[in-house]
Amino acid sequence: MTPVPVLATARLRLRPRTVDDAKALLPTLSDPDAMTYWSHAPFESVDAVRAYFAEPSGTWRAWSMTLPDDDTAIGFVSVGEKREGAVSEIGYMLARSHWGTGLAREAVAGVIRHLFVTERQRRVFADTDPDNIRSNALLESLGFTLEGRLRAEWETHIGVRDTFLWGLLATEWNDR
C-alpha cells in the first residue's frame, strides 16, 4: 500500500490517521446527524472506533485533519486505490464544530493535489447519497463532474439508498 505522507494546507496539517484518533473523533462518529449518509451506523464507543480504525482496509489509507498548533484530529480524508497507481476513491468526515468553515474542502483539495501531482493518478472519484447536499456541493466546488446515479446501490443503517458517482480527472484539476 502507498504510504500516507504528512501534508499541509493553509489552515490544516494532514497526517496519517491512527487508532489513537478514535477518542477525538468519537463525538463525530457517534453523532447521528454527522453519520446519516455514512456507510456505517453511528459508533457507540471509543473501542468500536479503535477497532474500525485498526481493521485491515485493503487499499484504503487515511489522513487525520488537525490544526497546525494542535495535533487533535478534527476529521479525516480516506482514499481507496481502485486501480493501482491510477484511480482512487475519496471520502471524508469533519467534526460538526468545524462545519461551514471550508476546512473539509481544504483537506479534500490537499489530498487530491497530492494524488494528482505527487502520485500522478489520473482519476479520483467519490460516491455520495443524493440527499447529502453539503458533500455534493463540496465535490462540485472542487470541479468534480456528476457522472451518474446508481439506484438502490447501498443498503445502509438508514435503508436502501441511491448513490451519486462523482469523478475528477487529473487533466481537469486546476488546484482550485
Side-chain angles (χ1 to χ4, degrees), residues 107-126:
V108 172
V111 172
I112 289 170
R113 181 180 313 108
H114 172 75
L115 295 174
F116 286 154
V117 174
T118 304
E119 295 186 11
R120 312 303 265 165
Q121 294 203 13
R122 73 169 184 267
R123 172 180 163 77
V124 174
F125 73 94

Side-chain angles (χ1 to χ4, degrees), residues 75-112:
F76 58 89
V77 178
S78 297
V79 172
E81 194 171 283
K82 299 301 177 177
R83 281 169 250 341
E84 192 173 329
V87 177
S88 287
E89 181 177 0
I90 197 163
Y92 38 87
M93 177 68 74
L94 181 66
R96 178 191 294 275
S97 60
H98 296 282
W99 289 3
T101 63
L103 288 175
R105 184 183 186 286
E106 185 174 321
V108 172
V111 172
I112 289 170

Side-chain angles (χ1 to χ4, degrees), residues 28-29 34 38 60 63 65 75-79 89-95 103-105 107-109 112 125-128 132 134-140 142 144 166:
T28 301
L29 295 173
W38 200 255
W60 284 87
W63 285 261
M65 299 177 211
F76 58 89
V77 178
S78 297
V79 172
E89 181 177 0
I90 197 163
Y92 38 87
M93 177 68 74
L94 181 66
L103 288 175
R105 184 183 186 286
V108 172
I112 289 170
F125 73 94
D127 91 53
T128 62
N132 191 343
R134 286 185 170 157
S135 190
N136 292 323
L138 182 151
L139 294 168
E140 188 171 26
L142 288 171
F144 280 76
W166 295 88

